Amino acid sequence: MSSPEAEKKYDGPVSPDLEGETTHFADNADGLQRRLNNRQIQLIAIGGSIGTALFVSIGNGLARGGPASLLIAYVFYPCVLALVNNSIAEMTTYMPVSGGFIRLAGHWVDDALGFMAGWNFFIYEALLIPFEITAINLVLGYWSEKLKNPGPTAGICLGVILLYAALNLLAVRGYGEAEFWLSGGKVILIFLLFFFTFVTMVGGNPTGNAYGFYHWVNPGAFAEYMSSGSLGKFEGFLAALWNAGFAVVGPEYISMVAAEAKRPRFYIKTAFKTIYARFAIFFFGSALCVGIVLPYNDSTLQAVSSGGSDGSAAASPYVMAMNNMYITGLPSVVNALMLTSIFSAGNTYTYCATRSLYGLALEGRAPRFLRHTWSNGVPIYCFLVVMIFPCLSLLQCGNGSAEVIGWFVDLITGGGLINFIVMSITYIFFHRACKAQGLDRNKLPYKGWFQPYGAYIAIGVQLFVALGYNYAVFKDFTAEGFFRGYTMQVIMPFFFLGWKLIKKTRFVRPHEADLVWEAPTIDRYESQFTHDPPGFWMEMGWMVGIKRHKKHIAD
């Protein structure tokens, strides 16, 4: 089942611009083109993990749970998501098809599950676009209060929408190159903030105060939320866990780009394998640093978290900390880099929403006309539908940016959790099918560990988070609060049951699952390469002319 490329020997550097260009085999069984190289995929994968939540929304977890609860939540939840990554990596590296995990669910579990998963992921990604645009306005408000007025806000929204449109109308290589540079900015920003935390905590700040872990002692490591005493601290931890459920992402974006990767069996496997290190560095590091630089009872942080302030003067807890330390200049640098990070996230969501809708159309779960692609591989009609959603960002013209962000966060979180539940369910069915049909998982490009037990554990935790993350609404019930917290959890089962009744689908039996599917097409595509796939750092060297020479692949 593994690609023939594993047995080929590398015969010298190959220009990344020419690699795979002379193929005589179809890239895919549909209209998408495999043009994303290794360095682009690795940065897209990193960019998918680092979003607005790590720079802005993480402050809500600190305000409600305190630094210890935040750190525990951001250690525990990434471990759960690592189990999900372990499952989707095995399936996607073997079958890197258009539509990613959405189509895998439909083929290996039930067509109704594929229908539900596809529309859930599409709505999830599409709503993330206006969320990011709203966050851009929130950060821009740091420099000028006038930008909060309806006129400038609308102008910024329209400008960002046009930029997203331009980048996503390019061939996938153009999107990949844009994300390579934008995601690189995210990496620079997050390490800059880690460095800022270390330097200031040992006394490198205008006040000369080596505050260390002072905020863990005063006001304390655990915050009380909603209740007092031990119950309040536990509810504070749950609030931090819900916050992590929104912030910690990554595997779904690698799955979605698999069909447009030049060397999917190698590049995608590498991206999935490195996600564990990204979880450890980015999420653990961010939770630790935020809890060090800012106390959970900071007045600005509490005002933003409670919705009592639009927070535009200091959207990020890091910027709040810099202002508290009377640091000048650096907040503007951080905000500028944060803008590129937020813009990058919205660009990725536009891409993923387009590809998920295209995957639905390929399987007959969306109108047939959406299957049409331009000659450059862009699903044009899917793209036009997706571009309706960014216009929701204009809602902030009549409401504060923080209020609109709060709405989007509540609506989106449920959808993200459902995505991961679907991935784990799909893996359980895939594992059963492999066992029933005698497919040796040791021969797959990637074999997940601790399976299928890891998938069962992930489902259990994800269900707990999905059903409980907005439990507070039941303590003081309001229709608005319930709608914000449980819309996706209520609607998606009806999507599943409705499609199942209309189409009379049934669950795929283990011995009937199509484990061949598009594997021959992928194998033929990869068989054209006569060299080992170049590594990330080799491609980075090519960018600056190191060991680069143009060499066509004569196959």
Side-chain angles (χ1 to χ4, degrees):
M1 297 299 178
S2 60
S3 170
E5 73 178 53
E7 300 176 3
K8 309 277 185 176
K9 298 300 182 183
Y10 182 66
D11 55 0
V14 178
S15 167
D17 296 329
L18 296 173
E19 182 188 10
E21 289 299 304
T22 58
T23 176
H24 298 290
F25 298 117
D27 291 4
N28 279 297
D30 50 68
L32 299 187
Q33 300 175 359
R34 295 191 181 277
R35 294 292 181 267
L36 294 175
N37 58 34
N38 198 1
R39 63 178 176 84
Q40 291 170 337
I41 288 174
Q42 299 310 317
L43 267 295
I44 289 172
I46 290 175
S49 299
I50 305 174
T52 305
L54 277 186
F55 304 123
V56 179
S57 304
I58 194 173
N60 292 332
L62 175 65
R64 296 170 183 175
S69 289
L70 184 71
L71 185 61
I72 295 170
Y74 273 73
V75 170
F76 172 71
Y77 191 77
C79 289
V80 175
L81 204 56
L83 297 175
V84 178
N85 181 75
N86 189 46
S87 297
I88 193 64
E90 182 174 322
M91 296 185 292
T92 303
T93 52
Y94 170 57
M95 200 70 69
V97 297
S98 305
F101 73 93
I102 296 168
R103 294 181 70 200
L104 299 180
H107 271 260
W108 291 338
V109 182
D110 189 321
D111 189 59
L113 186 68
F115 177 81
M116 185 202 78
W119 283 104
N120 176 76
F121 188 70
F122 169 71
I123 294 170
Y124 170 73
E125 293 296 309
L127 287 178
L128 275 169
I129 306 170
F131 166 79
E132 298 297 340
I133 296 175
T134 304
I136 286 175
N137 278 285
L138 187 65
V139 174
L140 283 173
Y142 175 81
W143 287 294
S144 175
E145 291 290 314
K146 295 180 180 178
L147 293 177
K148 295 188 295 182
N149 296 330
T153 296
I156 292 167
C157 291
L158 293 174
V160 173
I161 291 170
L162 290 175
L163 287 173
Y164 285 162
L167 288 172
N168 281 272
L169 279 175
L170 298 172
V172 67
R173 175 180 291 169
Y175 160 79
E177 197 62 26
E179 276 306 295
F180 171 79
W181 293 105
L182 290 170
S183 296
K186 290 185 182 183
V187 176
I188 292 172
L189 172 59
I190 201 163
F191 281 108
L192 172 64
L193 295 175
F194 290 170
F195 183 70
F196 157 78
T197 301
F198 175 75
V199 170
T200 58
M201 73 183 292
V202 297
N205 58 75
T207 64
N209 176 27
Y211 59 90
F213 284 84
Y214 175 77
H215 297 141
W216 281 61
V217 179
N218 186 13
F222 295 93
E224 296 177 354
Y225 180 61
M226 297 182 62
S227 303
S228 58
S230 298
L231 177 60
K233 292 179 179 179
F234 177 68
E235 289 186 313
F237 165 73
L238 291 180
L241 181 62
W242 312 151
N243 182 264
F246 170 71
V248 184
V249 294
E252 64 272 45
Y253 300 113
I254 303 176
S255 175
M256 294 306 295
V257 302
E260 293 175 274
K262 283 185 178 180
R263 310 288 288 268
R265 295 264 171 79
F266 179 80
Y267 295 166
I268 296 301
K269 179 174 73 172
T270 303
F272 275 122
K273 289 175 70 175
T274 57
I275 206 167
Y276 305 111
R278 291 197 293 273
F279 281 173
I281 296 171
F282 299 141
F283 295 109
F284 172 81
S286 295
L288 179 63
C289 289
V290 167
I292 289 173
V293 300
L294 195 68
Y296 69 75
N297 63 351
D298 180 86
S299 58
T300 305
L301 178 67
Q302 289 292 331
V304 173
S305 177
S306 63
S309 166
D310 65 11
S312 59
S316 167
Y318 291 106
V319 176
M320 298 177 197
M322 292 172 190
N323 290 334
N324 290 346
M325 298 177 199
Y326 306 103
I327 296 174
T328 59
L330 187 58
S332 292
V333 173
V334 169
N335 271 283
L337 286 171
M338 200 179 300
L339 282 176
T340 64
S341 171
I342 296 170
F343 180 85
S344 167
N347 190 39
T348 294
Y349 302 145
T350 303
Y351 168 87
C352 287
T354 302
R355 269 47 179 190
S356 62
L357 186 58
Y358 180 67
L360 284 166
L362 288 176
E363 297 293 341
R365 302 168 189 145
R368 187 180 182 86
F369 76 91
L370 294 173
R371 299 180 185 181
H372 179 71
T373 60
W374 271 358
S375 59
N376 64 358
V378 175
I380 182 61
Y381 294 129
C382 293
F383 164 77
L384 293 176
V385 172
V386 169
M387 292 313 295
I388 296 172
F389 286 84
C391 298
L392 291 173
S393 61
L394 294 170
L395 288 172
Q396 63 186 304
C397 294
N399 299 282
S401 296
E403 182 180 351
V404 174
I405 277 186
W407 268 86
F408 282 133
V409 167
D410 287 345
L411 288 171
I412 290 164
T413 301
L417 296 168
I418 291 171
N419 292 330
F420 299 133
I421 293 171
V422 167
M423 291 179 195
S424 297
I425 292 173
T426 304
Y427 182 81
I428 290 171
F429 276 75
F430 172 73
H431 189 276
R432 289 170 54 198
C434 290
K435 195 172 183 179
Q437 298 182 31
L439 190 154
D440 187 357
R441 293 173 52 241
N442 291 308
K443 295 182 179 180
L444 297 179
Y446 177 96
K447 180 186 177 182
W449 39 267
F450 194 53
Q451 293 290 23
Y453 312 107
Y456 283 110
I457 294 171
I459 290 175
V461 176
Q462 296 285 354
L463 280 173
F464 169 73
V465 178
L467 296 176
Y469 82 90
N470 202 35
Y471 75 95
V473 70
F474 298 106
K475 300 184 72 171
D476 185 16
F477 186 83
T478 63
E480 176 187 333
F482 181 82
F483 175 77
R484 288 176 60 165
Y486 291 101
T487 296
M488 302 300 284
Q489 293 93 315
V490 171
I491 290 178
M492 285 305 129
F494 284 103
F495 273 55
F496 174 79
L497 294 173
W499 192 256
K500 195 167 186 63
L501 292 173
I502 292 171
K503 296 295 183 178
K504 296 180 172 58
T505 67
R506 64 180 176 85
F507 288 101
V508 178
R509 296 182 176 90
H511 63 279
E512 295 176 350
D514 184 2
L515 298 179
V516 177
W517 194 9
E518 292 187 14
T521 301
I522 298 164
D523 287 336
R524 285 195 303 270
Y525 165 76
E526 289 198 330
S527 69
Q528 70 181 299
F529 297 103
T530 59
H531 56 86
D532 287 337
F536 174 80
W537 292 110
M538 179 175 285
E539 288 192 0
M540 292 293 288
W542 284 342
M543 289 184 62
V544 294
I546 299 176
K547 293 185 179 180
R548 175 174 181 165
H549 67 263
K550 294 185 177 182
K551 181 180 183 299
H552 286 277
I553 304 169
D555 287 309

